[in-house]
Amino acid sequence: MSEALKQKIQTAFVEPGCATNVAKSESERKKGCAKQLTPGAAAGGCAFDGAMIALQPITDVAHLVHSPLACWGNGWDNRGSASSGSELYRKGFTTDLSELDIVMGNGEKKLYRAIREVIAQESPAAVFVYSTCVTALIGDDIGAVCKAAAERFGRPVIPVNVPGYVGSKNLGNKLGVDALVEHVVGTMEPATVTPLDVNIIGDFNLSGELWQVKPLLDRLGIRILGSISGDARYAQVAMMHRARVTMLVCSHAFMAIARKLEERHGIPWFEGSFYGISDTSAALRTMCRMLVERGAPADLLDRCDALIAEEEARTRAELAPLRPKVEGRRVLLYTGGHKTWSVVSALQELGVEVVGTSMRKATDGDRERVTDIMGTDAHMYENMAPKEMYKMLREARADVLMSGGRSQFVALKARVPWIDVNQEKHEPYAGYVGMVELVRAIDRAVNNPMWADLRSPAPWEMSACDATDEPFVLSAVPGSKADFEDC
């Protein structure tokens, strides 16, 4: 590992924008927010994976992975980030290094040719080049190649030096965003600027969730000038330095870019969530208040309050007939990151009881928020083994499991419904509209009559006494004569 990369990693761990991190001792601060993986461990993803997750949703960029085929071969699509324009981000590009390329030292030449080909064929707004374990170990200088290619082809070519072995997915998120700060932000100027321009960082527009919030901003006249990274364009990243306020959507991994925008360009930031009625309203009020403090028209606050009152009334009216169907239901939430607390807050507004929430990939700040929202830390779980999850579901301590796709089979085996709330989900749950959709999803799951049929004994498992008196049914029930003597 190069000294420059080592220094960048240490800088990423010492995040002065995070109050929890600043309060730690120097030795604890160097460990970062997440427990570091042991060499060769795959749990939690690698740094390269984290960088791809953070940057790939930038839609009009060609994402070129400098690696053997195994790292990104046949790559297509991503984890569900939706685009209103270019579909280029869905394509996977790789240099496909062979053993011969590695032995003969052809890696840098092959990378240069790959950049030339992808620019010629796709005409992207920019090319992001990702290093991987193999190319970092053999010493390919992707920075030099990217610089030469950018000068030769007149197109931005951004090096993302995040080989997988340097750490976890969380660290990869941070280092990937750092590449944007160093090479992209501030390189373009917007045609016009307004006092209502904002940056939104950390919303991935999963299943179009950002589009459930954007109409609210449009009604207030607020423009999303800069965005990372759902439905974002390269130009939006390059022009972020001209926004008035930055909203960080529940992502500590992206805190560095919000802090650096404030330090370098004087743009204040706040952290908020668009999950749940209360959190959405709070985020809108905070955004409007900060915009007014930076020169936006004073009537923005009144218009914001009027909008919130209208939307909350409409949402609660839509929820009124649905709430009795889900109120009192018990939910086991097994997800990660900010959803460990933001979804909990949304569920509690519905009168749904959260019997447990996982702390996978959660920071100390996330843990504190869960404790504040739930009033105790007794319902926080680390990596729950499938056996433990199955036991909890079978003992009816939860009526429904809300998690990612990998846990759905545990729920099915336990004969309880499952709702996808992770990155692969197909239904958006953000904003006021999303709250209604979330309740409908819970209602469809827990009140489906098939679960009662599934949990009841099969006809051949019933005793003769439980069976009907119809002769043809009795004759179909296996058993000896003794089985009928007590009937």
Side-chain angles (χ1 to χ4, degrees):
M1 191 186 307
S2 67
E3 288 300 322
L5 184 55
K6 288 181 181 179
Q7 182 59 43
K8 185 177 291 187
I9 292 171
Q10 291 303 318
T11 302
F13 281 159
V14 183
E15 176 50 64
C18 176
T20 303
N21 198 48
V22 172
K24 296 178 181 177
S25 65
E26 184 176 355
S27 60
E28 287 295 318
R29 195 179 304 133
K30 291 180 179 179
K31 297 179 182 179
C33 293
K35 181 180 179 180
Q36 293 303 292
L37 303 177
T38 57
C46 66
F48 158 68
D49 181 30
M52 286 293 293
I53 286 174
L55 304 185
Q56 191 185 12
I58 301 175
T59 60
D60 57 351
V61 167
H63 299 270
L64 174 61
V65 181
H66 185 37
S67 70
L69 189 65
C71 287
W72 201 243
N74 298 317
W76 168 253
D77 212 350
N78 61 73
R79 58 184 191 156
S81 296
S83 171
S84 59
S86 174
E87 298 292 316
L88 178 60
Y89 72 113
R90 297 185 184 277
K91 296 184 179 180
F93 301 99
T94 176
T95 52
D96 185 18
L97 287 185
S98 66
E99 293 179 357
L100 186 60
D101 292 325
I102 295 170
V103 172
M104 300 303 294
N106 293 331
E108 294 178 354
K109 295 178 181 178
K110 198 166 186 179
L111 173 59
Y112 184 86
R113 291 196 299 268
I115 295 172
R116 180 183 63 196
E117 290 177 15
V118 76
I119 291 176
Q121 293 181 16
E122 303 291 344
S123 188
V127 180
F128 286 4
V129 177
Y130 301 81
S131 65
T132 56
C133 294
V134 172
T135 51
L137 287 170
I138 64 178
D140 282 357
D141 189 346
I142 68 168
V145 176
C146 289
K147 182 178 180 181
E151 293 173 353
R152 175 68 177 82
F153 306 119
R155 198 68 56 96
V157 184
I158 311 302
V160 185
N161 188 21
V162 191
Y165 62 76
V166 302
S168 66
K169 185 188 297 185
N170 183 274
L171 176 60
N173 293 154
K174 297 178 181 180
L175 297 181
V177 172
D178 187 70
L180 299 182
V181 176
E182 299 303 324
H183 300 287
V184 182
V185 175
T187 58
M188 296 176 65
E189 293 293 334
T192 60
V193 293
T194 77
L196 297 176
D197 290 342
V198 300
N199 294 323
I200 293 185
I201 299 176
D203 186 294
F204 291 93
N205 197 33
L206 299 175
S207 304
E209 287 186 331
L210 181 62
W211 300 334
Q212 293 182 321
V213 177
K214 190 176 183 298
L216 302 174
L217 303 181
D218 292 340
R219 288 171 61 183
L220 294 171
I222 297 174
R223 179 176 69 162
I224 302 176
L225 177 67
S227 176
I228 300 176
S229 65
D231 197 25
R233 310 296 189 270
Y234 179 80
Q236 286 183 289
V237 181
M239 297 186 298
M240 296 185 76
H241 63 298
R242 294 306 181 196
R244 308 295 290 176
V245 171
T246 296
M247 177 178 176
L248 182 65
V249 182
C250 313
S251 180
H252 284 264
F254 287 71
M255 188 174 288
I257 190 169
R259 174 180 57 81
K260 290 179 180 179
L261 284 169
E262 183 174 35
E263 292 175 352
R264 300 179 184 183
H265 305 287
I267 305 173
W269 61 277
F270 72 99
E271 187 176 6
S273 168
F274 289 129
Y275 280 104
I277 297 174
S278 299
D279 284 353
T280 300
S281 297
L284 291 175
R285 283 196 174 96
T286 302
M287 182 182 295
C288 291
R289 175 181 56 78
M290 294 178 69
L291 284 170
V292 169
E293 291 173 354
R294 299 215 66 209
D299 70 334
L300 178 63
L301 294 176
D302 294 332
R303 291 191 291 113
C304 179
D305 287 338
L307 173 67
I308 290 172
E310 177 187 341
E311 289 296 320
E312 287 190 354
R314 180 189 58 79
T315 303
R316 297 190 192 283
E318 291 186 37
L319 289 175
L322 297 171
R323 187 182 180 105
K325 300 179 181 180
V326 301
E327 197 167 19
R329 296 288 188 170
R330 299 180 300 277
V331 172
L332 174 60
L333 182 64
Y334 193 70
T335 179
H338 75 274
K339 291 191 292 295
T340 54
W341 60 265
S342 59
V343 175
V344 170
S345 178
L347 291 173
Q348 288 189 335
E349 286 187 86
L350 304 173
V352 175
E353 179 185 353
V354 180
V355 298
T357 181
S358 66
M359 289 289 105
R360 297 183 305 156
K361 298 177 288 185
T363 66
D364 291 340
D366 294 329
R367 295 172 187 274
E368 292 176 3
R369 293 193 184 205
V370 170
T371 303
D372 290 341
I373 293 170
M374 302 186 72
T376 177
D377 60 0
H379 301 295
M380 294 192 298
Y381 298 91
E382 297 298 333
N383 289 327
M384 183 182 291
K387 182 178 180 180
E388 297 174 2
M389 185 184 301
Y390 175 78
K391 182 179 180 182
M392 171 174 281
L393 296 173
R394 283 293 285 169
E395 292 177 354
R397 283 186 281 166
D399 298 310
V400 60
L401 174 65
M402 300 179 71
S403 70
R406 285 179 293 182
S407 305
Q408 63 176 305
F409 302 105
V410 179
L412 294 175
K413 184 176 181 180
R415 302 178 193 175
V416 299
W418 166 77
I419 298 175
D420 192 353
V421 293
N422 225 24
Q423 57 199 27
E424 307 89 356
K425 67 179 184 293
H426 297 288
E427 295 186 44
Y429 300 132
Y432 302 111
V433 176
M435 173 62 88
V436 178
E437 292 302 317
L438 178 61
V439 178
R440 286 176 177 157
I442 297 173
D443 176 31
R444 286 196 304 268
V446 299
N447 295 317
N448 191 321
M450 65 160 283
W451 295 108
D453 293 338
L454 186 63
R455 293 164 186 154
S456 63
W460 55 86
E461 295 175 337
M462 299 170 61
S463 69
C465 297
D466 296 328
T468 178
D469 292 334
E470 293 294 331
F472 73 92
V473 176
L474 282 174
S475 62
V477 179
S480 64
K481 181 180 178 181
D483 295 331
F484 300 92
E485 291 179 350
D486 296 329
C487 294

